[in-house]
Amino acid sequence: MQKEAVFPARMEPLSEEQVEFFHEHGYVLVKRGCSADLIDAFNGHIRDIRSGDDIPEWALPRKGGGPVQEKDRFSVRLFNPHIHDGFSRQVMKLPIVRGALAQVMGDEAVCVQSMYFYKEPGSPGQAAHQDYYYIKDDPKSMVAAWIAMEELVDEENGCLWVIPGTHRLGLLPHGSVTNLEEHEAWTHQTEGVDLRNQIPVVMEKGDILFFHELLIHSSNKNRSKDRWRRSYVCHYIRHDSTVLHREDLRVKYPLY
């Protein structure tokens, strides 16, 4: 007989209405879930990592050999900083994040991926997609936590757009990106859905957006002249779930 897992006590930050909203619409926004002071310190920490001459191998803004390009220092996203960096790991497992995830998943969550985005002025967004298309897990339980790292994230500097309720459609086909002026070319785009139903999710510093792995979401080009759209995005699965096909995302990082 398998022994039932026992976890330390955790918060329950979401109301019943917020949990119901998540299950009905596929996402829920928590206002000011992370303090501005912590956001500022984390932004400064990440900038310091990329600012020096001796950038750690894991944080280099390039792949393969060759010198670091100055234009890439604060444009190329950091993949999985939680694996290598203690500060990134602590933000990954904020008590409010752990608690909210347990409420919408019904059990303890673990982290499998993190990304720190810069999205400088002029940079493209990502076409409408479902996260499950890129990261498949069994049983399906994955939820993203998207933390806004700027004073304001809106339509001008490239906020997220979502289509409420699309998490109930299952995995849809994904094809080539159709608007290369707006979106990165190397990704894929959800097909068979009316993108005119997308709505913007405007966020302030410290807001946290939780969304289901099958929710269709996107972002547009940062059209501002001098406003960045930094964000820290982590993907979580239930502790008894497993990432399929992606060997690089098999390690589970607990949130306690």
Side-chain angles (χ1 to χ4, degrees), residues 32-47 87 91 94 97 116 146-153 203-208 229-233:
R32 309 288 182 172
C34 183
S35 73
D37 288 344
L38 181 56
I39 296 291
D40 292 342
F42 188 45
N43 280 336
H45 173 72
I46 296 297
R47 183 172 182 85
F87 201 156
V91 179
L94 292 173
V97 169
Y116 182 96
W146 200 104
I147 305 177
M149 313 290 281
E150 305 289 351
E151 293 297 335
L152 180 64
V153 175
M203 300 172 66
E204 299 174 290
K205 183 187 287 185
D207 290 355
I208 307 175
R229 196 226 62 182
R230 290 169 294 183
S231 59
Y232 189 48
V233 187

Side-chain angles (χ1 to χ4, degrees), residues 189-237:
Q189 180 175 314
T190 304
E191 298 177 335
V193 69
D194 190 348
L195 298 180
R196 291 175 296 180
N197 292 325
Q198 292 184 116
I199 61 173
V201 182
V202 176
M203 300 172 66
E204 299 174 290
K205 183 187 287 185
D207 290 355
I208 307 175
L209 181 69
F210 296 92
F211 57 93
H212 191 282
E213 62 188 332
L214 288 172
L215 181 76
I216 297 174
H217 61 286
S218 66
S219 63
N220 290 335
K221 184 177 182 178
N222 184 343
R223 288 183 163 78
S224 70
K225 294 182 179 179
D226 56 4
R227 298 170 57 215
W228 294 57
R229 196 226 62 182
R230 290 169 294 183
S231 59
Y232 189 48
V233 187
C234 296
H235 288 99
Y236 304 85
I237 61 175

